[in-house]
Amino acid sequence: MRILSGIQPSGKLHIGNYFGAMRQHIELQAENECFYFIADFHALTSSPDPAKLKANSLDVTADYIALGLDTDKTVFWRQSDVPEVTELTWILSCITPMGLLQRCTSYKDKVAQGLSPNHGLFAYPVLQAADILIYDSELVPVGADQKQHIEVTRDIAVRFNNKFGEILVLPKEHIIESVAVVPGIDGRKMSKSYDNTIEIFEPEKQLTKKVMKIVTDSTPVEEPKDPDKCNVFALLKLVAEPEELAEWDQKYRAGGTGYGAVKKRLAGLLIEYFKPYRQKRAELADNLDYVEQVLKAGAERAGAVARQTLSRVRRAVGLRG
Ligand code: ADP
Ligand code: TRP
């Protein structure tokens, strides 16, 4: 099955990204033909600092490689290295009703937050539709927040096919059933935009410091505690073996265990969990030329597919194919 997903290079990847998306992306490689890309055109809609945009794209790629991306099998590239996708975006824009985009909640939310929207932000879902359709993607694994964008993609593809014939492959969304939403150290959803993240490759001391800062309630050590309401326990679930988790569950409910003790164990487990990948990540940081080569090779493979689809589309709408 042809699987495709994109990730914005908007900052250092955190454990919410890992358990919510990256781990599944990596697992899906075993049985599928995977196409993953760095969505740097999309990132432009939030006006990033140019040097940061460039550096983040390489960092995210290095994170994926260190965490198990199979660079021979999976096609991994930087969106802007296959600019044909913007041409398809234009063609699709011309059959996309304004109302469809006006209903998009991620756009409406940003405007409601007071952001003054640019045209790119409004047209964001059309570029995403082009990303998906230009690679004949069959399945698009995304977090629940992206569900509407996949529906918009299907809507646009159906309109296109109705008008011009069966040219585009209709993708299915595949909502990643993550371990629910991973909480950040302040208890809100872990997100680059809230400055509450624990980065996957955070230096170990800093990681421990952050874990010790996770917000908990003020139940005294000796009293019973509810694990299901605890941010530390929610993170522990991601990395502890079931037997150990059951032990902590009992300790919480029995009382006599302080949050400090659980936090220390959590920090230890997180460090252990990502340890096998750290060495590789450090090597890649010293060899960004190699990371760049992976992206270039990916762009060649992705570009070959994109050009074929685009040629089909161009002919269908009456342009030179
Ligand atoms: P951020 O909110 O940090 O900017 P993105 O929106 O770039 O993260 O998300 C990239 C991927 O990681 C998406 O598939 C998203 O569903 C997933 N993800 C992000 N934060 C979390 C979280 N706290 N818990 C679970 N999944 C998450
Ligand atoms: N909008 C997605 C996000 O913010 C990133 C993205 C861009 C994407 N193009 C895509 C995801 C195509 C899946 C398929 O997470």
Side-chain angles (χ1 to χ4, degrees), residues 6 45 47-48 66 73 85 97 104 119 141 149 157 166 174 194 199 210 212 248 280 308:
T45 59
S47 318
K73 186 162 185 246
V85 75
C104 284
H119 171 251
H149 287 161
E166 291 300 309
H174 162 92
Y194 296 153
E199 291 160 20
K210 280 201 181 167
M212 298 314 284
W248 283 110
K280 175 100 184 164
Q308 276 186 11

Side-chain angles (χ1 to χ4, degrees), residues 6-8 10 14 16-22 25 141-146 176 178-184 189-193 197:
I7 180 146
Q8 287 202 53
S10 44
H14 53 75
N17 295 136
Y18 180 75
F19 290 103
M22 296 170 83
H25 290 165
V142 285
D145 57 329
Q146 294 297 313
I176 295 179
S178 82
V179 263
V181 170
V182 178
K189 170 190 175 250
M190 188 177 288
S191 170
K192 289 165 221 141
S193 17
T197 65

Side-chain angles (χ1 to χ4, degrees), residues 4-6 8 37 39 42 124 128 131-132 140 142 146 149:
L4 173 134
S5 198
Q8 287 202 53
F37 66 95
H42 278 107
Y124 184 115
Q128 185 159 349
D131 285 329
I132 296 169
V140 186
V142 285
Q146 294 297 313
H149 287 161

